Amino acid sequence: MVKKNTCIFISGNGSNLKNLISKSREYNFPINIKLVICNNKTARGILYAKKYSIPYLIINTNDRNYENIIFNALRKYKVNFICLAGYMRIISSNFIKKFRKIIINIHPSLLPKFKGLNTFSRVLKNNECKTGCTVHYVNDQLDSGKIINKKIFFINKNDNENSLKKKTQRLEHLAFPEAIIKMFRYN
Ligand code: GRF
């Protein structure tokens, strides 16, 4: 199997990055992580790139030129697949057009419900009985591309934002690799 040369974009803790790194080391998992891009120099997730000797690039999104900087790095590592794993910055439509390959994202709600930020507080405020996570293709509309995989759990009366986050992340660590397998394993 030819593995996809993959770049993971992060901004924070990197638990999804860590999980994908460990999956990618399985011989039949369809991606090789060639590069990590991070827009936050204090992000904990960078430690995983360091620990597993994966090249990483910290970018400053205030730099007018930052998308070109990303492009050059993607070209250098022959990246043909991008996973957004907690990347807290909108990808421009220009970027999507120029990259021309697949970009996917993981979102902590059952899309199309609760696009955007602060999902857990909105889920609670709305008295939802269930929530979960969604892996989807990235297009030029926020959290709106075609859905690849979803995982659901039921909310109980003792749940709060923290517990929802923990339960959602546990499911994310299943949903993201599953989505990637679904996309590529039999291609
Ligand atoms: C995840 O909950 C993801 O759904 C959201 O950002 C969070 C990233 O977590 N987009 P981590 O950095 O992978 O731990």
Side-chain angles (χ1 to χ4, degrees):
M1 183 199 354
V2 182
K3 292 193 174 206
K4 288 270 169 196
N5 288 343
T6 303
C7 178
I8 314 283
F9 283 46
I10 61 164
S11 300
N13 277 333
S15 69
N16 282 286
L17 168 65
K18 180 182 176 218
N19 181 52
L20 290 176
I21 292 173
S22 101
K23 293 283 172 197
S24 71
R25 302 201 154 201
E26 293 170 13
Y27 83 100
N28 59 351
F29 192 74
I31 67 169
N32 246 334
I33 302 175
K34 295 286 183 182
L35 180 66
V36 172
I37 287 182
C38 179
N39 68 332
N40 167 12
K41 62 176 190 291
T42 62
R44 260 193 66 205
I46 298 166
L47 294 178
Y48 298 118
K50 288 187 181 160
K51 181 168 173 197
Y52 294 98
S53 306
I54 297 169
Y56 63 92
L57 174 66
I58 298 169
I59 41 139
N60 175 359
T61 48
N62 293 324
D63 186 336
R64 253 186 65 235
N65 215 17
Y66 84 92
E67 284 194 343
N68 280 335
I69 298 171
I70 293 179
F71 262 106
N72 291 338
L74 295 175
R75 198 168 304 135
K76 179 171 168 198
Y77 291 97
K78 299 189 168 41
V79 169
N80 51 18
F81 178 51
I82 292 175
C83 297
L84 308 180
Y87 183 64
M88 302 303 284
R89 172 87 201 192
I90 287 172
I91 301 275
S92 76
S93 55
N94 220 359
F95 184 97
I96 295 168
K97 258 188 233 142
K98 210 169 146 193
F99 181 59
R100 289 177 35 208
K101 306 266 172 29
I102 297 172
I103 307 176
I104 66 172
N105 179 44
I106 187 146
H107 184 78
S109 78
L110 297 174
L111 290 174
K113 283 188 156 186
F114 307 106
K115 297 174 182 177
L117 297 175
N118 306 317
T119 50
F120 305 118
S121 64
R122 288 188 286 140
V123 162
L124 290 172
K125 229 178 258 163
N126 223 42
N127 282 319
E128 295 290 322
C129 63
K130 58 188 186 193
T131 187
C133 64
T134 309
V135 181
H136 65 94
Y137 290 97
V138 171
N139 62 17
D140 56 4
Q141 311 275 308
L142 181 69
D143 299 328
S144 296
K146 190 170 168 237
I147 290 168
I148 307 162
N149 198 15
K150 261 189 198 182
K151 294 261 176 217
I152 297 173
F153 66 91
F154 288 93
I155 299 173
N156 64 48
K157 60 177 185 332
N158 300 321
D159 272 318
N160 53 39
E161 283 184 43
N162 237 337
S163 66
L164 290 188
K165 185 176 173 186
K166 273 197 193 133
K167 291 178 185 179
T168 303
Q169 286 227 311
R170 220 173 288 144
L171 289 186
E172 287 182 351
H173 299 160
L174 301 173
F176 220 162
E178 245 179 51
I180 293 170
I181 288 170
K182 203 166 151 188
M183 291 169 68
F184 298 124
R185 185 166 279 177
Y186 300 109
N187 284 347

